[in-house]
Amino acid sequence: MENNEIVIVGAGPAGIGMGILLKKLGFESFVILDKGRVGASFWQWPEEMKLITPSFTGQGFGALDLNAVAPGTSPAFTFQREHLSGQEYGEYLALLAEHFELPLAEGTAVHKLHKHDDGFSIETNHGIIKSKAVIWGTGEFQFPKLPFTGAELGLHNSKVAAWRQLKKGHYYVIGGYESAMDAAEQLASYGSDVTVVMPNALQENAEADPSRSLSPYTRERLEQAYEKGNVQFLEHVSVRKLTTNGAAYDLHLSDGRRIRSETRPIVATGFHSGAEQISRLFAWGEDGKPLLTKEDMSTKTEHLYLIGPSVRHQNAVFCFIYKFRQRFAVIAEHLLKKWDFALDENVLAEYRNNQMFLDDLSCCEVECEC
């Protein structure tokens, strides 16, 4: 494979969005690598799973679709859906890649990333690629957390092809946030009874920032299932260990209880940062996320940038598409200016006008008076 000045790893919303911006700026020496295809993680979602952020066409009034990764595009317009499925969103990303003629190398798995004085060498299943900079955007969905002994005996929610395929019964869902509540609601919608084993409590998930709490979309669906009596909660308790007992499963809880489940427990405990694949090239914070400069570059490795849901800056959490897309222009401006590349200020203005150029992190607290 030919060498490029920039290699973007990952062809999800972060990688595609970043590539579109580089194209718009006239920068051509880059490639987007993905071990699967464009939007691969979204194609792996359970078929009933939908984006929790609503899509809406409001560009004419200064409101870019929350799930768009480029100005002038809208998944809501394309699919006439407010909450898109994974397959629909994967198709949206593929349409963008084709429309903007992005340089893609699908089916290209990155095995190792090496830093040298003059740049990087990237070992792939198709050989070695060299670059001056790497923008890492592998996302998180491919890296499920299994945080307790025996967790692999359960069924992680990311491994479910379709909730309708699970036989009706009484399920224990382990976890206390979006993944767990979505699993509970989906199982209940197909007639199962569900007990959510959660280390927190529902009333604690009441912050205005949906990155730290449950989204209104999830709360609304969950309340309907709870009112029907299908969903119950065991709050302030964690699963310490999961074991098998014949054809059944035993959940060993932090309060000393042991609960028998006749169905395979659902493990919905979230995901690791995709940057853990190259963990030695980042310094890490106490929250398990990479430490970054104000331009989203690794504090440990020059010219290695991070995009996507693992981006953190103190109290600012960029785990949603409408958040992390605000950082594409910050990276592009910083990197290309360092290389004395002439930037098209009209493109940067377009991104700023569409709330896609957040370079002032002092305004990231979410506060609602009522």
Side-chain angles (χ1 to χ4, degrees):
M1 299 179 68
E2 66 180 27
N3 298 329
N4 292 268
E5 291 192 75
I6 296 175
V7 168
I8 299 172
V9 181
I16 295 300
M18 191 75 225
I20 290 170
L21 175 55
L22 291 178
K23 265 279 190 158
K24 283 175 170 280
L25 288 170
F27 190 84
E28 296 287 345
S29 183
F30 73 96
V31 67
I32 303 172
L33 311 181
D34 198 284
K35 68 178 182 180
R37 57 173 167 171
V38 173
S41 290
F42 290 91
W43 289 91
Q44 296 170 26
W45 278 16
E47 69 176 37
E48 300 91 346
M49 191 172 179
K50 298 182 184 299
L51 293 172
I52 60 176
T53 46
S55 281
F56 200 83
T57 50
Q59 284 93 329
F61 300 91
L64 183 63
D65 188 318
L66 290 178
N67 296 307
V69 295
T73 74
S74 170
F77 176 78
T78 302
F79 291 94
Q80 296 298 296
R81 295 283 188 276
E82 184 175 308
H83 293 276
L84 277 73
S85 68
Q87 178 176 331
E88 288 166 340
Y89 198 73
E91 290 178 1
Y92 162 73
L93 294 176
L95 285 170
L96 292 183
E98 181 180 4
H99 176 76
F100 287 98
E101 299 180 343
L102 297 182
L104 293 168
E106 295 173 292
T108 303
V110 173
H111 299 314
K112 291 184 180 180
L113 178 63
H114 301 282
K115 180 69 170 72
H116 309 291
D117 290 340
D118 58 346
F120 297 86
S121 60
I122 304 150
E123 294 184 26
T124 78
N125 57 322
H126 295 302
I128 294 177
I129 306 171
K130 292 189 176 181
S131 70
K132 292 172 61 178
V134 170
I135 302 176
W136 196 264
T138 56
E140 299 181 351
F141 189 78
Q142 304 171 65
F143 311 103
K145 282 184 180 178
L146 300 172
F148 53 86
T149 302
E152 69 281 357
L153 298 173
L155 177 62
H156 197 277
N157 65 292
S158 63
K159 305 302 181 183
V160 176
W163 293 105
R164 61 176 172 78
Q165 295 177 356
L166 274 63
K167 66 179 182 179
K168 190 183 300 184
H170 181 195
Y171 285 88
Y172 286 89
V173 174
I174 304 167
Y177 295 94
E178 289 287 348
S179 296
M181 301 310 167
D182 181 72
E185 189 277 330
Q186 298 290 0
L187 287 166
S189 72
Y190 287 111
S192 288
D193 293 319
V194 182
T195 299
V196 181
V197 183
M198 53 192 297
N200 49 335
L202 284 178
Q203 61 266 30
E204 293 174 359
N205 290 335
E207 293 191 43
D209 186 350
S211 297
R212 304 177 184 279
S213 180
L214 295 179
S215 68
Y217 178 64
T218 299
R219 283 187 179 277
E220 181 180 9
R221 293 180 298 134
L222 191 63
E223 286 172 5
Q224 292 172 356
Y226 179 75
E227 290 171 359
K228 292 178 181 177
N230 294 80
V231 180
Q232 301 296 323
F233 305 95
L234 287 180
E235 300 179 324
H236 294 302
V237 64
S238 301
V239 175
R240 294 289 175 82
K241 183 169 63 173
L242 180 62
T243 57
T244 54
N245 192 323
Y249 299 82
D250 284 343
L251 286 76
H252 303 256
L253 306 184
S254 56
D255 61 5
R257 282 183 289 172
R258 181 184 299 184
I259 297 176
R260 178 73 45 84
S261 176
E262 301 300 326
T263 59
R264 190 179 181 187
I266 305 300
V267 180
T269 46
F271 303 88
H272 293 286
S273 168
E276 288 190 9
Q277 301 168 91
I278 51 170
S279 59
R280 74 188 189 284
L281 298 177
F282 288 98
W284 293 82
E286 294 180 358
D287 61 354
K289 302 298 181 183
L291 297 179
L292 305 171
T293 69
K294 60 185 178 66
E295 296 87 12
D296 293 354
M297 185 173 69
S298 167
T299 58
K300 188 176 179 180
T301 306
E302 189 175 16
H303 292 151
L304 172 61
Y305 296 83
L306 184 69
I307 51 177
S310 291
V311 174
R312 299 285 191 277
H313 286 283
Q314 296 180 348
N315 292 326
V317 179
F318 291 88
C319 65
F320 284 125
I321 292 167
Y322 72 87
K323 290 185 173 187
F324 65 66
R325 72 185 183 189
Q326 298 179 99
R327 304 294 293 171
F328 301 156
V330 174
I331 293 174
E333 182 186 52
H334 178 254
L335 181 57
L336 298 184
K337 276 189 174 179
K338 287 179 69 175
W339 292 347
D340 293 325
F341 184 83
L343 293 173
D344 187 335
E345 294 299 332
N346 291 327
V347 173
L348 297 180
E350 177 190 30
Y351 273 66
R352 197 177 292 279
N353 292 337
N354 280 277
Q355 292 79 51
M356 289 187 69
F357 197 159
L358 178 64
D359 53 2
D360 179 7
L361 294 170
S362 66
C363 63
C364 291
E365 290 297 322
V366 179
E367 297 180 1
C368 296
E369 293 185 6
C370 61

